[in-house]
Amino acid sequence: MLQSEVQSYAKHRWLLTIAGLLFYVVDVLTDVLLALRYFQQKDYLWTALTLTFVLTGLLVTQIFSYSWYWDDINDPLQNPNGEPNISGMSRGAIAALHLLGVGIFTRYVHLLRRGFRVLWRSSASCTEDQRSVEHHRLFCLATDLSMLKLFEAFLESVPQLLLQIYIVREMPSGLPTFIYLLYKLSTIISLILSLALLLLLSPFTSVFLTFLWLLGALYTHLKGKKFCTSMEMELLYQGVIGVILIFTFFNVKGQNTRVEMVVYYVFHGVLNILAPVLMALLRPEMLTFSLLLAVSGIIFGGAVLGMVSILLYYLLMHPREGERRVGDEVDGEERETRRETRERNFLQM
C-alpha cells in the first residue's frame, strides 16, 4: 500500500502530454519529408544518413518500450491481478505495434486515456490509497515515455542537428570534419545524460543550470568580441551563447582558448562522474540497475570518445598556417564582418 503523500499527477501534465504528442507527430513528418526532399534532389548520401539516424532512434526506442511493457505485465503494482494483458492489449498486440514502429505513439495514447479517466472521470468514492495507486501508475507511464523520448533525442535529434549544420554550413568533408563532429556529438550526449540524471535526483538542479547559464553569459560578456550593433541584441546574443556553453564549448574569443577548453571539459568530466554515482547512492530506486548501467556506459563512453576525438582533431587535423593555427588568431580587426565572425566561432566551438 502506497503512502498518502505520493505526489498527484496534475492536469497540466496531461495537457502537456497532448502537446508532446503533437510535436512528436510533427517531428516524424518533418523527418520523412526531409528524407524525401534529399532523395528528389538526388542527394542520396544525405538521404541515407537522415534515414539511418531516424531508424536507429526508432529501433532502440521500440526495443526498450517493448521490454518495459513486458516488465509491466510482470509488475504487481502495474498489473496487480496478474492478467496477461497490459493497458488493454495482449502481448501479441504489443509486439505487433512495436514491430510497426509505433511503440512511442502507443504509449502516448495509453497515458492520455488513463490520465483522462483518472483525472476527469474518477469516482468521488475512490479511497485515498486507490487514488495514490492510480496517480503513481500515471507517473510510471510518464517516466517511461520521457526516458524513451530522451533516448530518441540523443540517437536521432542530436545527430540530425549536426548533420543539418554540416549540410547548411557546407563544412569541408573528410576525416577532420568527421572527427570534429564525433567530438561534439559524444560530449553533448554524455553531458545531457548526466544533467538528466541530476534533474531526476533533484529539481533544484535547475538552479545549478541557471547558475551555469549566468556564468557562461558573463564569460561571453567579458571575453567575447562585440557581435551585434545594438546593446539589446548584444545582451540577447550573450544570453544565447550562455545556453550553448552549458552543453558544449564555444570559442567567443577568437584566440587560443586551450586553457578555457581544458577547464571546461575537466568540469564536465567531474559532472559525468558524479551524476551516475549520486544516482546509484542516493536514489537507486529511480532506475533499474540494468538501465543505470546502460546510461552510465553511454555517459562514460561518450566522454572518453569525445576527449579522444578532440585530442586527435586539435593535435593532428586542425588547420594551421606555418607554426600558428589559423583559428587561434587574435580577433580584433574591425573589418571582420558578422558572417566571418559567425563562421569562425562555429568552426572553433
Side-chain angles (χ1 to χ4, degrees), residues 115-131:
F116 182 78
R117 184 173 66 249
V118 172
L119 298 175
W120 274 277
R121 289 188 174 181
S122 59
S123 173
S125 61
C126 181
T127 67
E128 185 65 24
D129 286 339
Q130 290 173 334
R131 177 180 175 276

Side-chain angles (χ1 to χ4, degrees), residues 193-202 205 208 269-287 292 295-296 299-300:
L193 276 176
S194 296
L195 294 177
L197 291 181
L198 292 176
L199 285 169
L200 285 176
L201 279 173
S202 172
T205 302
F208 172 67
V270 173
L271 284 182
N272 289 334
I273 294 174
L274 283 179
V277 172
L278 291 176
M279 176 62 74
L281 295 177
L282 302 180
R283 301 291 294 276
E285 73 281 359
M286 292 289 295
L287 300 175
L292 180 59
V295 172
S296 301
I299 291 175
F300 298 145

Side-chain angles (χ1 to χ4, degrees), residues 5-34:
E5 61 266 16
V6 172
Q7 185 180 4
S8 297
Y9 192 88
K11 291 183 178 180
H12 75 271
R13 293 178 180 269
W14 187 87
L15 295 174
L16 289 175
T17 303
I18 296 179
L21 174 59
L22 295 176
F23 280 117
Y24 174 70
V25 173
V26 171
D27 181 53
V28 172
L29 291 177
T30 53
D31 287 338
V32 172
L33 292 176
L34 183 63

Side-chain angles (χ1 to χ4, degrees), residues 179-180 182-183 186 304-314:
I179 295 297
Y180 181 82
L182 183 62
Y183 137 63
S186 301
V304 172
L305 181 60
M307 291 302 96
V308 171
S309 299
I310 193 175
L311 288 175
L312 287 176
Y313 178 78
Y314 281 102

